[in-house]
């Protein structure tokens, strides 16, 4: 079975440009999470969805960040405009809703570099 | 609020030696506790978890961890390190949901 699929794997862009990261969760998994990983701050939960509905976006750093989940098989994380401090690896993870066991399935990440 | 502290950002052991990675947590409710492993350029994968019941839990690749409520600890151990264990290890806590709070991570180096 395919795991969580993220694209692009690597993105290099210039400050001020819009960045869109994409995620396809595992089929049947109705909870989806976006994490950001940096050396300075470690792994931070940005936002998570249950059944396509955003449940907790308290980790979204500022209005430049937005996330959507238009259907059960696709989510996007958008940064507009991007800044150098947004450089990080962004992970998407999924799990079945209501499982409550904490076993998240992670994608391989999207490494973003903002120049 | 929940939090996790991992003692030691880097741990180095010789091949065949005991691996001990330390994790202490803070939680206002009985926690669920987890260890995840991240290999270079990959996402995290679950090593083991404690939810309820037996406090000594066994995971993949010979790792185990013991939940000690009195010490608010959940240290990860493996009796004999293998070169393939070199990776970054994350301890995490949740309040019985799927929203995890991760520690800062510990990079394990295995020397031959």
């Amino acid at each position: 079975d395919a795991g969580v699929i993220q694209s692009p794997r690597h993105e290099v862009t210039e400050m001020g440009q819009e960045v869109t990261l994409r995620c396809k969760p595992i089929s049947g998994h109705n909870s989806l999470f976006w994490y950001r990983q940096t050396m300075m701050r470690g792994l931070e939960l940005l936002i998570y969805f249950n059944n396509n509905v955003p449940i907790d976006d308290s980790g979204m750093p500022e209005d430049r960040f937005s996330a959507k989940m238009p259907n059960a098989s696709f989510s996007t994380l958008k940064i507009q405009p991007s800044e150098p401090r947004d450089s990080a690896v962004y992970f998407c993870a999924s799990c079945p809703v209501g499982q409550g066991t904490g076993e998240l399935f992670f994608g391989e990440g999207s490494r973003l570099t903002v120049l | 609020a929940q939090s996790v502290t991992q003692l030691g950002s880097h741990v180095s052991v010789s091949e065949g030696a005991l691996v001990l990675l330390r994790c202490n947590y803070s939680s206002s409710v009985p926690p669920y506790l987890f260890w995840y492993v991240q290999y270079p350029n990959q996402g995290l994968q679950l090593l083991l978890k404690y939810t309820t019941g037996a406090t000594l839990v066994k995971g993949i690749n010979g790792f185990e961890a013991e939940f000690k409520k009195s010490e608010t600890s959940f240290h990860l151990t493996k009796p004999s390190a293998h070169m393939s264990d070199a990776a970054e290890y994350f301890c995490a806590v949740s309040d019985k949901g799927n929203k995890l709070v991760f520690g800062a991570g510990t990079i394990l180096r295995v020397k031959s």
Side-chain angles (χ1 to χ4, degrees), chain A residues 15-91:
Chain A
M15 183 174 63
Q17 296 298 304
E18 178 179 295
V19 173
T20 299
L21 307 179
R22 298 172 177 80
C23 175
K24 177 178 170 55
I26 292 172
S27 178
H29 284 190
N30 292 1
S31 284
L32 184 140
F33 303 76
W34 283 101
Y35 281 88
R36 177 172 69 176
Q37 185 178 36
T38 61
M39 291 289 291
M40 292 297 295
R41 301 174 69 92
L43 270 165
E44 303 172 278
L45 176 64
L46 300 178
I47 186 171
Y48 80 94
F49 298 83
N50 281 351
N51 294 317
N52 313 338
V53 176
I55 302 300
D56 184 349
D57 65 355
S58 59
M60 295 287 264
E62 49 198 272
D63 291 346
R64 297 185 298 107
F65 285 69
S66 63
K68 294 182 179 179
M69 192 165 185
N71 56 62
S73 60
F74 184 65
S75 177
T76 59
L77 178 67
K78 186 174 293 186
I79 308 172
Q80 167 63 17
S82 58
E83 297 181 4
R85 60 190 168 126
D86 302 330
S87 297
V89 181
Y90 291 82
F91 286 102

Side-chain angles (χ1 to χ4, degrees), chain A residues 37 56 91 100-102 104 107, chain B residues 32 34 36 38 43 98-100:
Chain A
Q37 185 178 36
D56 184 349
F91 286 102
T101 63
L104 303 185
Chain B
Y32 284 5
F34 311 85
Y36 279 78
Q38 184 181 28
N98 288 324
K99 182 179 175 182
L100 301 183

Side-chain angles (χ1 to χ4, degrees), chain A residues 90-109:
Chain A
Y90 291 82
F91 286 102
C92 177
S94 72
C95 71
V97 168
Q99 183 184 57
T101 63
E103 182 168 6
L104 303 185
F105 295 80
F106 283 79
E108 294 189 321

Side-chain angles (χ1 to χ4, degrees), chain B residues 13-32:
Chain B
V13 301
S14 297
E15 193 172 18
L18 171 72
V19 175
L20 171 61
L21 305 182
R22 300 177 187 274
C23 171
N24 288 90
Y25 69 90
S26 173
S27 178
S28 57
V29 299
Y32 284 5

Side-chain angles (χ1 to χ4, degrees), chain B residues 86-108:
Chain B
E88 188 163 15
Y89 293 79
F90 293 90
C91 183
V93 63
S94 82
D95 59 356
K96 297 183 175 55
N98 288 324
K99 182 179 175 182
L100 301 183
V101 174
F102 286 90
T106 297
I107 294 173
L108 175 66

